[in-house]
Amino acid sequence: MEAPVAAAGRAGEASPASSTMFGRMPSGVVDHRLVASPGGVLTSSLIAKAANKSMEELSNPAYSAAKAAYQGVPGAYSEVAARKACPDFDPLPCDQFEVAFQALSQWMAERAVLPIENSLGGSIHAVYDLLIRYRLHIIGETSLAINHCLVALPGTAKSDLKRVMSHPQALAQCDGYLRRMAVVKEAVDDTAGAAQIVARQGLQGVGAICSRRAAELYGLDVLEEGIQDVKDNVTRFIVLSRDPLVTSESDSRTYKTSIVFSLQPGPGQLFKALSVFALRDIDLAKVESRPMRTNPIVQIPSQDGSSFTRQNFNYMFYVDFVGSLQEVRCQNALRHLQETAPFLRVLGSYPMDTELGTMSSDDPAMMQNMSRYN
């Protein structure tokens, strides 16, 4: 049996002296949780303004509730995921993915819940890129069944629609349905935002693709439900925190660990990297690659070293594997990987989600949870 490696689970992470552990706020940091305006959508400009406010201006206790940041407006699928994953936190809508990262990093939220992949549309690359830029930790995941509805102003018939707006992924997931309708597709920031635009601007002849929850929230009629081309449509979300999840050896839940690493150019490098898991019977749940933003191009030398034969992208590799950092085999797999990976960072080790959430109003527990905030 291999010996445990204490440092492996901390690869690439900040040292304890430079990180905020167990929710303690570092000295000199303003508690920005007090400035998240209830009912509003957080933007990067609001975050910048909040940094300049005095503590007297931020003393309103109505702003002090712990929050879970998500991208979108109320009624978005991400809001439901945030409520499912963090039922004890008030949802904090943000206009962009990065604003949710900023809100968590700057203490305006205690959690952030963001989509990472969809069963039809694939990976959410913007979120993967932000995981590298911000030193936050994945502490959980949650999955949500996506059920798209075609909605419009009250009294509108489906045949009246000339234009349909929604998030680009929602439009893509309903592409066949929309082509049969012969309508113009218009992309907006999120599904619930599309419903909000139709309702607030009173747009005649314009529909939106969103959840039933969003339609009810903005007073729109549901013209048809379940309009996605493939009915089995699931989005997986990750839960972020400023601190890593602290686990114990007695925890019997199945864990997943997410890492990101780079490799030296050369034949067989990816095979060697992934073999450290196969050698220890560790199951890989996901492998994703993204081009590096800095130094994206690498030249490959010829076999005799006299010339360069071609240019390739430099990649970062994201891997999810089944196992906890408490397990010796996982610790040693990471130690083995460090021997060949110039860069290795553990993004988080967290319990796997085993319950599929829904947006259905037939789900009493979910709707009761939603009604607490209305």
Side-chain angles (χ1 to χ4, degrees), residues 100-120:
F101 275 80
Q102 292 172 340
L104 179 56
S105 298
Q106 299 188 32
W107 297 82
M108 297 179 73
E110 295 299 320
R111 299 287 186 270
V113 180
L114 296 158
I116 195 69
E117 63 178 336
N118 175 264
S119 59
L120 302 183

Side-chain angles (χ1 to χ4, degrees), residues 59-310:
S59 60
N60 188 338
Y63 300 148
S64 61
K67 293 178 171 62
Y70 68 93
Q71 187 275 325
V73 300
Y77 292 108
S78 291
E79 182 198 21
V80 179
R83 297 188 193 282
K84 175 176 180 271
C86 308
D88 297 326
F89 293 77
D90 289 344
L92 176 62
C94 303
D95 70 338
Q96 301 293 334
F97 288 137
E98 186 164 11
V99 173
F101 275 80
Q102 292 172 340
L104 179 56
S105 298
Q106 299 188 32
W107 297 82
M108 297 179 73
E110 295 299 320
R111 299 287 186 270
V113 180
L114 296 158
I116 195 69
E117 63 178 336
N118 175 264
S119 59
L120 302 183
S123 299
I124 314 298
H125 293 143
V127 176
Y128 273 102
D129 293 341
L130 289 166
L131 286 172
I132 284 288
R133 293 174 54 193
Y134 289 83
R135 299 191 67 82
L136 300 173
H137 302 270
I138 304 174
I139 63 167
E141 65 175 3
T142 190
S143 296
L144 189 69
I146 305 300
N147 190 38
H148 290 311
C149 298
L150 179 66
V151 307
L153 292 174
T156 302
K158 181 179 173 181
S159 58
D160 296 332
L161 299 180
K162 306 299 181 186
R163 183 160 52 107
V164 173
M165 59 176 58
S166 192
H167 186 275
Q169 280 218 0
L171 294 173
Q173 292 164 13
C174 304
D175 182 65
Y177 177 88
L178 295 175
R179 280 192 282 110
R180 290 191 295 272
M181 286 183 62
V183 294
V184 175
K185 296 180 289 185
E186 181 177 338
V188 295
D189 285 341
D190 67 275
T191 55
Q196 187 183 69
I197 291 171
V198 171
R200 291 186 175 178
Q201 297 184 15
L203 298 180
Q204 300 287 341
V206 179
I209 296 175
C210 62
S211 66
R212 175 174 285 276
R213 154 74 177 167
E216 294 170 352
L217 188 63
Y218 298 110
L220 300 176
D221 283 352
V222 176
L223 305 184
E224 193 168 348
E225 191 167 2
I227 65 171
Q228 60 270 18
D229 296 334
V230 179
K231 300 308 177 185
D232 294 330
N233 184 6
V234 178
T235 297
R236 184 169 70 94
F237 297 79
I238 54 174
V239 183
L240 298 176
S241 174
R242 287 182 296 275
D243 303 314
L245 184 66
V246 179
T247 61
S248 65
E249 294 183 0
S250 61
D251 193 338
S252 61
R253 294 175 294 179
T254 301
Y255 269 67
K256 181 186 291 185
T257 298
S258 298
I259 63 173
V260 58
F261 59 90
S262 63
L263 293 173
Q264 296 284 3
Q269 290 298 310
L270 182 58
F271 170 80
K272 294 175 185 177
L274 298 183
S275 67
V276 307
F277 302 102
L279 289 171
R280 296 167 176 85
D281 293 324
I282 297 174
D283 186 20
L284 298 184
K286 182 177 175 64
V287 179
E288 178 80 18
S289 64
R290 293 287 295 153
M292 290 186 182
R293 286 180 173 268
T294 58
N295 190 29
I297 301 296
V298 58
Q299 291 183 322
I300 306 299
S302 60
Q303 289 187 350
D304 60 9
S306 61
S307 62
F308 292 96
T309 58
R310 65 183 186 276

Side-chain angles (χ1 to χ4, degrees), residues 80 83-84 144 357-358 360 363-371:
V80 179
R83 297 188 193 282
K84 175 176 180 271
L144 189 69
T358 70
S360 172
D363 186 343
M366 178 66 73
M367 296 310 294
Q368 182 179 10
N369 186 23
M370 299 284 281
S371 66

Side-chain angles (χ1 to χ4, degrees), residues 323-364:
S324 167
L325 292 183
Q326 290 289 339
E327 298 179 51
V328 173
R329 61 175 185 154
C330 295
Q331 295 175 12
N332 286 288
L334 294 181
R335 182 182 66 175
H336 194 170
L337 180 58
Q338 281 182 310
E339 295 176 3
T340 57
F343 169 80
L344 170 62
R345 179 179 164 195
V346 176
L347 298 173
S349 190
Y350 47 93
M352 292 181 64
D353 181 40
T354 57
E355 296 182 0
L356 182 61
T358 70
M359 283 293 299
S360 172
S361 57
D362 296 330
D363 186 343

